[in-house]
Amino acid sequence: MNRRLQNNSEYLEVTIIAHKEGQDLPTKFKYKKRNEKEKPMALDVLLQAQENQLPDLAFRYGCRARNCGVCTIDINGKPRIACRAVVRDGDELKAMSTLPVITDLIVRRDQISRQLKGKIYEGGRKNDLNVEASEDYHELTSCIECYACLDNCPMHEKNFSEIKNDQDYFQWGNPFSLLKLQTIATDPVSTVVRREAAVSAALELGLETCLDCPGCKCGVGIDLKGKVIKPLLQNSKLVD
Amino acid sequence: MNIDLEWRNFDVLVIGSGGAGTNAAETAAKAGASVLLVAKDPLSASDTKISEGIATVRASGSEDDSEEALSENLKIAGSDLPVEEITSAFAKDSQTAYDKYRENGLRPEISSITKGPNSLPLPMGGHTRRRSVGHKNSGLAFGHANWNAIVKENKIEYLEDCWVIDLVTSEYDDGGRKVEGAIIYDAQKGKLLAICAPSVVMAAGGLSTLYFPKTDTMRGNTGDSYAIAARAGAELVDMEQTQFLPFCLTSPPSFEGLLGGEPVTASYLGVLRDKNKKVILDGVYLRTRAECSAAIMKAVEDGRGTPNGGAYLDMRANKRAPKSGTYFMKFLQNSLPSAYNNVRQAMNKKEAQCDELWEVRPSAHYMMGGIRVDENGQSIAGKKSNNGVRGLYAAGQAMGGLFGANRLGSTSLTEGAVFGSRAGFAAALYSRNFNKNKLNKDLFLKEAYKLNNLLGQMGTKHASQLKILVQKECWNNLGPIRDKKRLKKTQQFISQCRKELKKVQIGKNLLWNQSLIEYLELVNMIDTAELMTHAALERDGSVGGHVRADCKDLSIFSKPYSTVVKVRKSHIEVSKIDRKRTELKKLVEFKFKEQKRFLEAKLLRLLPMKFKDAIIEKRYKKIMGSKEKAPPLEPGSIEAAVGDQKVL
């Protein structure tokens, strides 16, 4: 049966791992291609699975154009943006492993933004808004907040290995939070006080973990190591 | 009841975390109100975030750009359906509202002449002046600013993954309704929230998901704003006026509905052709989105549509011109970077290089109608524009009255900021009159019981699958082309669908109950579609985003009116409200200038190549100035990330 399917170009077979009450529930799903040449994205597969086989399958999506950053899932154990990740026969689709799973492919995301609550924009800004930002600043605001960068982040992993005091936000940081802080630090209207506040917030989130880390990977190609981690480490005096 | 209700008190509840909701929450908090912002999607993931990131900022491109000029521009472009007080408010606040984004980190290019935000070189879609400011990273730059606005201080409470089930209202002294708060389903925590708040700002976006996948917007646009407000007793205006973007992709399936180009990017020589390659629309770059969409759909209606039910956008002449041709490709790539990225990924190399025709089809993009409000976003009703639902405010796509029958390019980001701020401020002021502790608990419990009874409903139908049927119906019969027969058919379909609701299977669990979520959204979609059919039947003529195949076009010289729909106990009440017509002299002048431009465009196209090439090259040089350098692009490649292109 399986072999016949593999040779049949009309279908793709994938495994969708749903999740209910702490249990993984794998389902084999045969995706019917909408035309012979179609190379479906993971999101197409999930939508068709919901239409034909798993009507209450829960997954996030938004713009279908790799802009909104909410549809990230793990494909074969690696974070991918579902609307722009081509699926191959035999692939396994599952919730991101780096965040707490609520149901099926839905993860809880707000513990990340909450760790920065009240921590950015301290110390005011200069009054003149008519100043241009640097190329580095704009590179950072191309972040779509897909959270692919949490993968293999030793700082973020600490949230799960230590006893948590508060469920509402993560104590330890991650590349995204550091990116937000570095954006403040490179913002031309930030005062010196605000820049320093951003760097100390990074230290509080565990910036020193980055010293021993080979670096992080961005879902849309931002140079996290060079444009986020390195300047933060330098400004915090953790490295020269 | 099986459900625990969590009771919370706030001055202002804001629904939605896009541009409108964020500005409302920030302004209300600044005015001293306690604010809760709820959204069903993650923080700031919204149409604002995925937009092209171009905002209207008055006087950013020319000194003579007065408030009157901008207000009038909106009004005439909207076929006089827009309300003057609202267009004036937009014109008055566009700069200050835009600066709020800058306070939260939006950094435009600064013009060396004006020392302010640099506007794009050409007037965007229907503007009479240059006043559209583009941004690096498109809408993402706005998304970050919104995110910062909510997170930066500890003033605003926010909850993601929350679906508002209904507003709770009570009777006001004079017999009208007033807001008491809302019942909200928090899927992430598996809880039901009873939020007591005298003011609610509805900023939950539009309804384009009624047409999925023929839309380029966020999935969450299931008409929640309109359905929830209407069920609470609010009046809605212009609900037949959906904006369709004309040049969206038809294939491959993963890209269906996404944006390919805008009228202006068709450039000086772009034309629309039917399946027989006959020209169906000339001077495309000067046309509104509505005109282009109407031209395509009328051709489809006559059986002259392309295989996927659209038309061909032919830009080959731009490319063929020996001198100006190279400028054209740069112009196309730079003007709408994320749309051109879609094209590069979805089409073959020759198409992406404009050496072949693009198959395009309209996609739902924006709802111009919405909750009937005054210039401060407060719900209003009746012939004399009296109070509507007290304490209910709307902003952004949720509100109506600003754009009427057609929305100018780049105005929606500004709209969200202007009216988000206004509504947030008005909501905060209004809430000061109320004693938070005086609470009518029974009203909340009544709403909560309704949900309680839904949980565990047995049945054979699935809401997610019914949604797909609704979407097909809306596209076919309530879409970019309509007639009486089709609209009546949609109404029949909707009443049938309502019967099916009782057969929908709904799980018992409270933690992220997807079947319940799908059900709640399905109901909002059905309610919204029904309201739209009533408005669309009332408007028996084509105007702007509403194209009736069985009726004549409404002349801009005819008496303008808006449709108003309102939910009564057993039926939907439809009425008309007169709008003020722009002075005849101005309309004639407007029409004359428009026709003149179309004629000039046609003549240019028909000139011998040598002459038109020289003229167009000169124009490109002028508009592209010294910033003509194109980014290194590999057409057809798919590795392009959104953030790597610059706006012209």
Side-chain angles (χ1 to χ4, degrees):
Chain A
M1 175 77 186
N2 268 343
R3 195 180 308 150
R4 194 180 62 82
L5 264 177
Q6 268 172 15
N7 295 335
N8 185 339
S9 64
E10 272 181 74
Y11 291 94
L12 269 179
E13 187 171 295
V14 300
T15 305
I16 297 170
I17 304 188
H19 185 97
K20 293 264 176 336
E21 291 159 14
Q23 298 275 314
D24 281 347
L25 309 163
T27 307
K28 294 260 184 230
F29 175 68
K30 278 188 290 178
Y31 178 85
K32 189 176 191 307
K33 289 188 191 172
R34 287 170 284 186
N35 61 55
E36 226 175 84
K37 284 185 287 181
E38 189 187 3
K39 288 179 187 159
M41 310 292 175
L43 179 60
D44 298 315
V45 174
L46 294 174
L47 285 168
Q48 196 182 90
Q50 193 185 52
E51 185 177 351
N52 297 337
Q53 194 175 330
L54 303 163
D56 298 327
L57 183 70
F59 52 96
R60 293 185 194 274
Y61 69 104
C63 67
R64 300 186 296 140
R66 210 214 227 180
N67 272 326
C68 73
V70 307
C71 67
T72 318
I73 57 169
D74 275 4
I75 301 181
N76 305 328
K78 282 280 153 204
R80 304 290 303 278
I81 300 167
C83 68
R84 283 289 175 275
V86 177
V87 167
R88 288 175 185 82
D89 213 42
D91 278 355
E92 189 185 275
L93 314 184
K94 199 181 173 185
M96 286 170 85
S97 64
T98 47
L99 289 169
V101 183
I102 303 171
T103 296
D104 294 350
L105 289 91
I106 306 264
V107 291
R108 185 174 173 193
R109 291 173 50 115
D110 63 348
Q111 286 149 300
I112 290 185
S113 60
R114 288 183 201 286
Q115 75 177 187
L116 286 180
K117 252 203 127 203
K119 285 193 180 173
I120 56 174
Y121 277 48
E122 282 177 305
R125 60 171 168 78
K126 296 172 194 164
N127 286 328
D128 185 10
L129 293 168
N130 290 321
V131 282
E132 285 189 7
S134 65
E135 284 301 319
D136 283 359
Y137 182 88
H138 294 303
E139 178 163 351
L140 301 188
T141 57
S142 71
C143 165
I144 65 168
E145 209 183 333
C146 67
Y147 294 160
C149 58
L150 305 183
D151 192 37
N152 274 327
C153 172
M155 191 194 304
H156 179 65
E157 276 166 16
K158 281 199 214 171
N159 291 306
F160 304 95
S161 58
E162 293 175 9
I163 302 157
K164 278 164 280 178
N165 304 326
D166 199 313
Q167 298 285 323
D168 220 25
Y169 61 89
F170 290 129
Q171 183 186 349
W172 301 101
N174 54 75
F176 168 77
S177 290
L178 296 180
L179 174 139
K180 290 301 279 189
L181 293 171
Q182 176 58 20
T183 312
I184 306 293
T186 53
D187 188 341
V189 311
S190 289
T191 57
V192 176
V193 181
R194 186 196 268 179
R195 280 164 209 232
E196 283 171 357
V199 175
S200 23
L203 281 167
E204 274 173 44
L205 291 176
L207 183 65
E208 81 286 349
T209 320
C210 301
L211 288 170
D212 311 320
C213 177
C216 24
K217 200 164 175 258
C218 170
V220 293
I222 300 169
D223 174 12
L224 291 171
K225 198 180 173 188
K227 300 281 165 68
V228 176
I229 310 298
K230 204 174 143 197
L232 278 174
L233 284 173
Q234 278 167 352
N235 289 327
S236 66
K237 310 280 187 322
L238 284 174
V239 297
D240 293 330
Chain B
M1 192 161 66
N2 310 324
I3 318 168
D4 281 335
L5 261 185
E6 188 177 308
W7 296 83
R8 302 284 306 276
N9 282 325
F10 290 91
D11 295 328
V12 179
L13 168 68
V14 177
I15 306 169
S17 74
T22 302
N23 276 288
E26 196 189 10
T27 311
K30 235 178 221 166
S34 62
V35 180
L36 174 69
L37 179 140
V38 297
K40 50 187 197 176
D41 277 317
L43 191 65
S44 87
S46 60
D47 277 351
T48 303
K49 180 177 177 181
I50 68 161
S51 69
E52 283 293 332
I54 307 174
T56 301
V57 184
R58 187 182 63 78
S60 58
S62 62
E63 280 176 12
D64 69 337
D65 193 6
S66 65
E67 286 177 20
E68 292 71 34
L70 173 51
S71 174
E72 197 173 89
N73 196 174
L74 286 162
K75 202 163 174 316
I76 295 179
S79 299
D80 270 340
L81 270 54
V83 181
E84 199 173 332
E85 288 78 11
I86 301 180
T87 56
S88 300
F90 178 96
K92 187 162 172 265
D93 291 1
S94 79
Q95 294 168 330
T96 45
Y98 175 74
D99 280 350
K100 286 188 72 181
Y101 271 116
R102 296 211 278 167
E103 285 167 18
N104 288 314
L106 185 72
R107 299 281 168 262
E109 197 178 271
I110 302 300
S111 157
S112 55
I113 301 159
T114 66
K115 308 290 178 210
N118 198 14
S119 84
L120 295 178
L122 277 185
M124 282 269 305
H127 282 279
T128 51
R129 284 173 179 73
R130 291 173 52 203
R131 51 167 88 98
S132 302
V133 179
H135 297 86
K136 285 181 178 158
N137 306 321
S138 307
L140 293 173
F142 287 81
H144 280 284
N146 286 330
W147 196 98
N148 295 343
I150 300 301
V151 174
K152 67 178 178 184
E153 291 170 311
N154 260 323
K155 276 188 184 164
I156 302 161
E157 265 202 59
Y158 65 90
L159 293 170
E160 303 180 351
D161 304 329
C162 279
W163 275 257
V164 173
I165 295 163
D166 258 318
L167 299 184
V168 177
T169 59
S170 63
E171 198 165 307
Y172 198 72
D173 306 341
D174 62 1
R177 309 295 301 170
K178 89 177 194 341
V179 166
E180 294 279 342
I183 291 286
I184 295 172
Y185 170 50
D186 181 343
Q188 184 195 88
K189 307 268 172 53
K191 282 193 300 203
L192 208 55
L193 311 175
I195 303 299
C196 313
S199 301
V200 171
V201 180
M202 184 61 79
L207 50 71
S208 303
T209 299
L210 288 179
Y211 304 98
F212 185 89
K214 293 165 183 75
T215 169
D216 70 326
T217 70
M218 290 289 282
R219 176 216 74 84
N221 285 310
T222 45
D224 306 358
S225 297
Y226 318 112
I228 294 168
R231 290 198 295 263
E235 287 192 353
L236 309 178
V237 285
D238 300 331
M239 285 301 285
E240 76 283 5
Q241 292 296 343
T242 319
Q243 181 167 58
F244 289 87
L245 289 179
F247 306 147
C248 294
L249 308 177
T250 60
S251 66
S254 312
F255 291 80
E256 186 181 358
L258 299 181
L259 183 64
E262 286 272 30
V264 68
T265 58
S267 203
Y268 302 106
L269 303 176
V271 292
L272 270 173
R273 296 182 189 275
D274 64 11
K275 73 170 179 191
N276 306 317
K277 311 289 158 67
K278 195 171 160 270
V279 173
I280 55 173
L281 194 71
D282 210 309
V284 167
Y285 76 105
L286 295 170
R287 308 278 175 172
T288 64
R289 292 163 167 176
E291 280 176 284
C292 297
S293 292
I296 297 171
M297 293 317 291
K298 281 177 180 166
V300 173
E301 190 75 0
D302 295 348
R304 293 180 287 122
T306 54
N308 288 306
Y312 291 118
L313 179 60
D314 181 0
M315 297 183 285
R316 291 175 301 180
N318 290 312
K319 180 77 187 300
R320 264 201 311 265
K323 283 184 195 158
S324 61
T326 50
Y327 284 93
F328 164 69
M329 281 314 289
K330 290 171 193 167
F331 171 74
L332 180 65
Q333 289 157 1
N334 288 351
S335 301
L336 289 174
S338 51
Y340 190 67
N341 263 340
N342 290 335
V343 169
R344 291 199 312 176
Q345 294 174 51
M347 293 188 184
N348 70 38
K349 207 167 170 172
K350 279 194 167 165
E351 288 164 339
Q353 280 289 304
C354 300
D355 293 324
E356 279 177 11
L357 306 177
W358 291 8
E359 188 183 6
V360 292
R361 187 182 58 204
S363 268
H365 180 64
Y366 197 90
M367 183 58 184
M368 293 169 292
I371 301 165
R372 191 175 164 208
V373 292
D374 65 13
E375 68 275 20
N376 292 313
Q378 155 79 52
S379 156
I380 55 169
K383 283 271 175 230
K384 289 184 177 159
S385 303
N386 298 325
N387 285 314
V389 179
R390 282 181 178 75
L392 176 64
Y393 298 81
Q397 226 181 140
M399 69 182 266
L402 173 61
F403 299 126
N406 183 50
R407 185 174 72 76
L408 300 173
S410 83
T411 44
S412 67
L413 293 175
T414 310
E415 176 198 27
V418 168
F419 294 97
S421 300
R422 281 176 168 253
F425 188 68
L429 279 192
Y430 173 84
S431 72
R432 289 181 193 167
N433 305 326
F434 290 88
N435 179 358
K436 268 188 280 181
N437 301 319
K438 206 181 136 204
L439 174 67
N440 196 339
K441 251 189 164 176
D442 287 347
L443 291 172
F444 284 83
L445 287 173
K446 210 176 115 196
E447 289 298 332
Y449 270 115
K450 276 192 215 162
L451 184 92
N452 191 55
N453 295 338
L454 280 176
L455 286 172
Q457 175 172 291
M458 307 286 272
T460 51
K461 301 278 176 188
H462 297 285
S464 61
Q465 293 166 349
L466 289 173
K467 266 179 166 179
I468 297 171
L469 298 180
V470 174
Q471 286 158 343
K472 283 187 179 144
E473 177 68 27
C474 286
W475 175 260
N476 289 331
N477 296 326
L478 185 58
I481 196 151
R482 306 158 177 175
D483 59 36
K484 192 173 175 182
K485 208 173 128 198
R486 281 189 265 203
L487 292 168
K488 289 276 177 198
K489 224 181 121 204
T490 307
Q491 289 186 334
Q492 275 171 10
F493 169 85
I494 289 167
S495 58
Q496 190 56 40
C497 217
R498 283 198 198 283
K499 288 179 197 151
E500 306 274 318
L501 286 176
K502 296 189 183 74
K503 300 178 205 156
V504 169
Q505 189 186 325
I506 302 174
K508 269 192 281 201
N509 56 307
L510 263 179
L511 184 69
W512 206 288
N513 184 332
Q514 189 67 25
S515 55
L516 176 65
I517 290 170
E518 300 284 356
Y519 179 91
L520 295 170
E521 290 187 344
L522 172 64
V523 171
N524 287 345
M525 286 167 71
I526 294 174
D527 283 353
T528 303
E530 185 168 28
L531 290 161
M532 289 172 74
T533 59
H534 285 274
L537 281 166
E538 181 71 15
R539 171 89 56 197
D540 50 0
S542 297
V543 61
H546 174 66
V547 182
R548 284 277 299 255
D550 57 342
C551 302
K552 277 195 229 150
D553 291 354
L554 291 176
S555 153
I556 64 162
F557 301 111
S558 65
K559 181 104 188 86
Y561 67 89
S562 278
T563 60
V564 177
V565 288
K566 183 179 175 146
V567 176
R568 295 283 183 190
K569 261 199 182 114
S570 58
H571 68 289
I572 289 172
E573 186 183 279
V574 193
S575 56
K576 286 179 181 176
I577 184 153
D578 288 339
R579 296 298 194 208
K580 209 174 109 190
R581 197 175 64 187
T582 304
E583 272 175 75
L584 210 58
K585 208 181 100 193
K586 280 180 181 163
L587 280 180
V588 173
E589 190 187 287
F590 177 83
K591 263 288 168 209
F592 177 77
K593 279 186 183 165
E594 187 185 67
Q595 289 305 318
K596 193 168 154 251
R597 284 197 301 269
F598 292 153
L599 193 67
E600 282 167 1
K602 190 168 187 166
L603 289 174
L604 177 72
R605 193 166 68 81
L606 300 175
L607 276 179
M609 178 59 91
K610 204 172 89 187
F611 298 109
K612 68 183 170 196
D613 192 19
I615 295 171
I616 295 171
E617 187 190 14
K618 220 165 135 187
R619 287 190 189 174
Y620 280 127
K621 274 188 175 164
K622 195 177 156 206
I623 59 168
M624 294 168 79
S626 58
K627 294 190 185 68
E628 67 189 50
K629 60 176 192 295
L633 280 181
E634 193 50 57
S637 75
I638 60 161
E639 70 279 357
V642 261
D644 63 358
Q645 302 303 322
K646 289 172 203 159
V647 168
L648 187 71

